[in-house]
Amino acid sequence: MYVYADNAATTKMSPTAIQAMTDAIEQYWGNPSSLHTTGQTAKEALEAARAEIAQLLGAESPREIYFTSGGSEADNQAILSAAQFGARKGKKHIISTKFEHHAVLHTLQKLQKQGYEVELLDVHETGIVTPEQVKNALRPDTALVTVMYANNEIGTVQPIREIGAVCREAGVLFHTDAVQAVCHIPVSVREDNIDMLSLSAHKFHGPKGIGVLYARKGILLRNLIEGGAQERGKRAGTENMPAILSMAVAMREEMAQMDAVTAKLTTMRDRLIEGLTKIPHSRLNGDRNQRVPATVNFCFEGIEGEALLLMLDAEGIQASSGSACTSGSLDPSHVLLALGLPHEVAHGSLRLSIDAETTDDEITHILTVVPRVVSYLRNMSPVWEALENGEKEHLI
Ligand SMILES: *Cc1c(COP(=O)(O)O)cnc(C)c1O
């Protein structure tokens, strides 16, 4: 059996999204900046996609939607813009959290080297950051608060609406990396008090290399690329029409199905949680309920996540130890360390992220194979032996 359980890393494009892409290549190949009919036909399709995305996100106007090359670019652009314009008003303090995606954390590190003061909030053991924490960290010189909507490794959902309200009351810009949230849980930029939001199409069955930065009317953005007047002059270059039109279609489709899919996914996810919790010395990472419907993350004491992944792959189960961006390095996940897990425990992590195509039989397969592989690896592990004969103390 072949099970793809790594949808938090990327998803397979839906047939409708693929169709929209090929339609765009054939029908809307003109340059939207051209004044002739072929160009204007493309321009109309482009602006229709922008308007649809604005509406699906609860934005006030299509002018608040900027197309980017994906989630990373949107995160970079939001943070660097807020930093640049904040500094002009003498504001160089930025608040974020310890468990953000590297697109956020590495951008913040770069700013720190340039003299910005970056404050990374601790994350509660449940994988949640509270509005009170944000409120307590705010200062008169705070230029930006950036907190992710849903964490990509453990799936926990943050109280974004409340954090947004705290920021709005203080008059501080609020950005959220919503890449794992949009099309997975209800998100509305207006109701959630969001000033800037990043999303990426390949996390919701759309194409890779395309995303959106939502920036509320009046928010200043720097020029990311100099050149033509595309994206209101902020990001020059002829628009990626096939990807943009396909993203809009994928977003509409996913949002229309969200309620039904959520019900199905939640049932399967809860089966995974119940089944994997039965493995001795295992732990579910992140709050049991305040999480996206499709992602679970477990630690199994006494094993290495990498070994587990390779053996699962051999059994037809494709998963991840956390973020795709950190696999290949032997450092434990910064997300799990932020939750306060010891290094030894954080090393033995497994993320399973399912989607609407996942079947009950596949869940059964996972629940049969994972316990077997975990116990096989433990039997070969000197660390496990030390834990079992009492030379070392169990941490979970
Ligand atoms: C995938 C992901 C990104 C990066 O998006 P890309 O489109 O791959 O650049 C950023 N943030 C989170 C939370 C993600 O899951």
Side-chain angles (χ1 to χ4, degrees), residues 228-280:
Q230 292 92 349
E231 301 309 301
R232 312 188 66 215
K234 302 302 174 192
R235 186 181 191 275
T238 305
E239 297 85 350
N240 185 351
M241 291 293 291
I244 291 170
L245 300 191
S246 174
M247 168 168 63
V249 165
M251 194 185 277
R252 185 202 311 148
E253 186 183 30
E254 293 294 308
M255 286 195 182
Q257 297 171 354
M258 195 190 299
D259 288 348
V261 169
T262 298
K264 181 182 172 216
L265 289 179
T266 307
T267 308
M268 288 196 290
R269 177 199 73 190
D270 291 348
R271 262 190 80 201
L272 280 178
I273 292 178
E274 268 164 45
L276 296 177
T277 305
K278 289 191 190 130
I279 297 177

Side-chain angles (χ1 to χ4, degrees), residues 7 42 50 52 78 83 85 94 98-99 134 146 148 151 155 185 222 301 346 386:
N7 286 281
R50 196 188 304 278
E52 173 141 51
F85 291 103
I94 300 174
K98 288 188 177 156
F99 77 157
V134 174
T146 172
M148 71 198 315
N151 183 271
I185 54 173
R222 69 195 179 121
E301 201 177 15

Side-chain angles (χ1 to χ4, degrees), residues 322-340:
S323 147
C325 318
T326 45
S327 56
S329 87
L330 285 175
D331 292 335
S333 137
H334 71 285
V335 172
L336 298 180
L337 295 182
L339 302 191

Side-chain angles (χ1 to χ4, degrees), residues 268-308:
M268 288 196 290
R269 177 199 73 190
D270 291 348
R271 262 190 80 201
L272 280 178
I273 292 178
E274 268 164 45
L276 296 177
T277 305
K278 289 191 190 130
I279 297 177
H281 304 289
S282 67
R283 82 168 241 149
L284 169 70
N285 293 312
D287 190 80
R288 173 73 178 73
N289 299 310
Q290 206 171 319
R291 58 172 55 254
V292 289
T295 302
V296 299
N297 185 310
F298 269 83
C299 281
F300 305 107
E301 201 177 15
I303 63 165
E304 287 290 335
E306 276 73 17
L308 177 60

